[in-house]
Amino acid sequence: RASMAAIAFTMASACLVLLPGLSPRTHARLPSSSLRMVALAEPAAGAKPRSRGAGQRERVSTTSLPLRIDGAWYDLSSYADEHPGGRWLLEYARGRDVTALFHAIHMKNSKLATAALSRLPRLESESLPQPSRPCPFPSEQASEGTLQGPYVLAGLDGKPVPEAPPLPPIESELRRDLAEMMRREFPTPASSKASAAHWARTIAALVGTVACWAGWVQGSALACLLLPFVHWVLIAHTVHEATHGNLHTDPRINFWAQFTSHPICFNVFVWIPQHLLSHHQYTNDYEHDVDCHHFAPALISDAMPRMASAESSFNEGWTFVWKGFLTTLGTSILQPLRTLREKPTPNYDVNVTPVPAAVSKRTLWLSVLPSLLVLLYPLLVWLPQAPLLGLWLLVWPWVGMSLIFTTMTQVSHVQQSCQPTQAQSGCWTARQIHASLDYSLGAATPMPEQQLVTALAAGLNAQSLHHAMPTLSCAHFPRMYAEYRQICERHGVTIRHSENVGTAVREMLEYVFENNRPVGGA
């Protein structure tokens, strides 16, 4: 019975990669039946246009691919197939403001990128209707015929959606010096991608991950124990790199590599918009960075308004802790299900973790299927015949991966020293550096330790460098970090640093519990 279930599990999981609408080739021929482009199709030839009642909005065209950069809307539909990062990344940003992301990604060749942008057709903002409220549900967006809105997250607490993105100045001497370093050290596109050693570790981690999953299916307690750790090493070498276009020069490889986060880390369709379009542009800005809201009502930002009752004596820092044990259950299943069921995020009036408009509900359902199977398989196959083993196979993959994922992703930003109130910076690059914490990269840290920690942490131990130069593969971080630090010092930008991951975790928890100290009660 276990072997038959293993075959069924494998076949069901294969739906993810055989799914129409996920392939970068399909994305190159949008729109398709498996992708929902928000707006309705253009009227057929000879059809009479429908009249609109008073106040009814013009529907946005399905043939354009609008992105807003520096206050202007551009149509990238004619260029998307030539985009070095792949059409799929542009489609996931459809209708969004990508000002900071555009300039960060094209730091090394900003003049060429700006010149290429100027040749693209512009769109009038009046032809791009926006939703009647921030963070609309898919059905609301479809009925209104609008885009999703320029921001992944906006309009919290009833505040108006800003006309222009709340960003410090982009251009600066710091940015120019970092760009010069990148041009010198990485003269070709391939030179900044993953190294041969990185790929060797990736292949080893892939083999180990497949072996652990095979053992898990067969009921091996040891394979289950190792599974989150080995799978994380694979994720650390693939997903984060791929979604930034840093793994390989071929966007198809980057596209498929992102799905190694399934089934127990996160759903990529939920993660991409919040990570690239929200977190990387507005780091630690609670009004626009979705990452500030995953542990609500726990406060992980100084600026967040308190959600708990003033009379409560409970420290919501414990909410941060218990949610940290189940993080990936939310990122893999609960968050995509909220989009599918059109439900708001708990503690909010809206869904703060939407998926790109280019992803249909059918595609999203099928992408969640492997995660649901990981929940159901131990319950149906192992729990009836071996309750303790079944419980172990059910619980540990999620708890183990959640603890790793929470630690790796939160220690670099949930810190007192990384809050915007303490990071008033003269330019966007400096602000990104100030909003991040690095560890295990000090001048006294031996190079082998730097390389090992960087590989295991997906480069998140060099978070400030990654946020300043997001197109650089983490395989190069240890080699580049000393010069990067010198450039920052020359411009008076102080890198936030902790000795190692242990000290970083301690400092994070101290900040979380202090920030959530009850204001009333016993």
Side-chain angles (χ1 to χ4, degrees), residues 199-239:
W199 277 107
R201 293 193 299 268
T202 301
I203 294 171
L206 175 62
V207 172
T209 300
V210 171
C212 285
W213 275 112
W216 177 84
V217 170
Q218 295 169 9
S220 169
L222 177 60
C224 182
L225 174 66
L226 297 175
L227 175 59
F229 301 101
V230 178
H231 196 164
W232 167 257
V233 175
L234 175 63
I235 292 169
H237 283 71
T238 52
V239 183

Side-chain angles (χ1 to χ4, degrees), residues 492-521:
V493 176
T494 303
I495 298 174
R496 279 68 169 140
H497 191 269
S498 192
E499 185 177 352
N500 53 54
V501 67
T503 58
V505 170
R506 187 192 70 235
E507 292 159 4
M508 174 186 70
L509 292 175
E510 288 174 352
Y511 166 67
V512 168
F513 277 92
E514 179 60 31
N515 199 40
N516 287 275
R517 184 186 296 274
V519 296

